[in-house]
Amino acid sequence: MKIGLYFGSFNPIHHGHLIIAKHCLNFTDLQQIWLVLSPQNPFKNPASLLGEYDRLHIINKAIDGELNIKVTDVEFKLPRPSFTIDTLQYLEERYPENNFTIVMGSDSLQNINKWKNSDILLKRYPLYVYNRKDFPINKDLQADIIILDAPLIEISSSYIRQLIKLNKSIKYLVPDSICSEIENTKFYKS
């Protein structure tokens, strides 16, 4: 099976993430999208993250009923911080019957040379890249890059967290199921 791995902190997951995942399923040869929840991204401050199991719970609520979008906590079991190449190698060993690709935004692609073993990533794994405003795709990289013309919503998890702290509504930015969950649990308030 051909699986697209969409890595992220998903802090919290929002409609923009879900639209990208669904677009990949609708318009590429990917058969499943796995949301790879990163407990600790090496480029982000861990203090700003909601607990990993709380984020996992929220993602599961957001994708409830989806047949081809899954969430994986594989990086919970791996050394921290999480490095994409280590996760890919672990998944290939565990699921040798699958072919893994990476789904990412053009903003991440611009920083890929800072990633651990980026040369191996670029050589071994196809990259499904969606355009992000102000981040042109570098087509000169020696990589198998598939450009996605996905619809983008200019929202971010940090914007959603800011709204929560200001006691503003996040309705329509996140799925209804997690909007009420976040409000009821007081996630992101402190």
Side-chain angles (χ1 to χ4, degrees):
M1 182 176 298
K2 193 164 187 181
I3 297 171
L5 301 176
Y6 189 1
F7 291 82
S9 298
F10 303 109
N11 190 38
I13 192 166
H14 54 71
H15 282 301
H17 296 126
L18 299 169
I19 288 169
I20 295 296
K22 188 58 86 170
H23 181 84
C24 288
L25 292 170
N26 285 339
F27 295 102
T28 70
D29 58 348
L30 298 175
Q31 296 165 288
Q32 285 188 350
I33 297 292
W34 290 6
L35 304 172
V36 182
L37 177 56
S38 300
Q40 183 184 348
N41 179 317
F43 300 111
K44 292 189 179 177
N45 177 1
S48 69
L49 296 172
L50 184 66
E52 60 215 48
Y53 288 99
D54 291 326
R55 287 182 283 140
L56 180 65
H57 171 73
I58 289 172
I59 295 169
N60 274 314
K61 284 187 78 84
I63 62 171
D64 186 42
E66 286 289 340
L67 299 177
N68 297 318
I69 301 175
K70 315 279 185 203
V71 61
T72 178
D73 62 358
V74 64
E75 289 191 346
F76 292 19
K77 305 166 188 78
L78 298 175
R80 296 181 190 189
S82 306
F83 294 103
T84 302
I85 190 69
D86 298 336
T87 304
L88 281 160
Q89 289 172 340
Y90 177 83
L91 288 171
E92 284 183 330
E93 289 173 15
R94 185 148 186 221
Y95 305 102
E97 70 280 7
N98 293 326
N99 293 316
F100 294 103
T101 66
I102 302 169
V103 175
M104 66 170 47
S106 58
D107 53 335
S108 295
L109 183 64
Q110 283 195 354
N111 296 319
I112 202 163
N113 63 335
K114 297 177 184 173
W115 293 20
K116 178 181 176 184
N117 297 339
S118 61
D119 54 331
I120 296 170
L121 276 174
L122 293 170
K123 189 185 303 181
R124 290 191 53 202
Y125 300 97
L127 307 176
Y128 287 69
V129 180
Y130 56 92
N131 277 302
R132 296 287 305 264
K133 185 179 176 189
D134 301 324
F135 295 97
I137 295 174
N138 180 356
K139 296 175 186 156
D140 295 332
L141 288 172
Q142 297 298 312
D144 181 7
I145 298 174
I146 297 92
I147 299 173
L148 303 172
D149 187 24
L152 299 179
I153 298 178
E154 291 297 322
I155 59 173
S156 66
S157 295
S158 58
Y159 174 68
I160 293 168
R161 293 192 308 273
Q162 180 183 17
L163 288 175
I164 293 167
K165 286 181 181 174
L166 296 171
N167 291 318
K168 304 293 183 190
S169 174
I170 59 170
K171 190 169 179 66
Y172 307 121
L173 299 175
V174 299
D176 288 344
S177 60
I178 69 168
C179 184
S180 57
E181 180 82 9
I182 289 170
E183 288 172 359
N184 292 337
T185 57
K186 309 282 191 244
F187 287 151
Y188 302 108
K189 283 285 188 180
S190 57

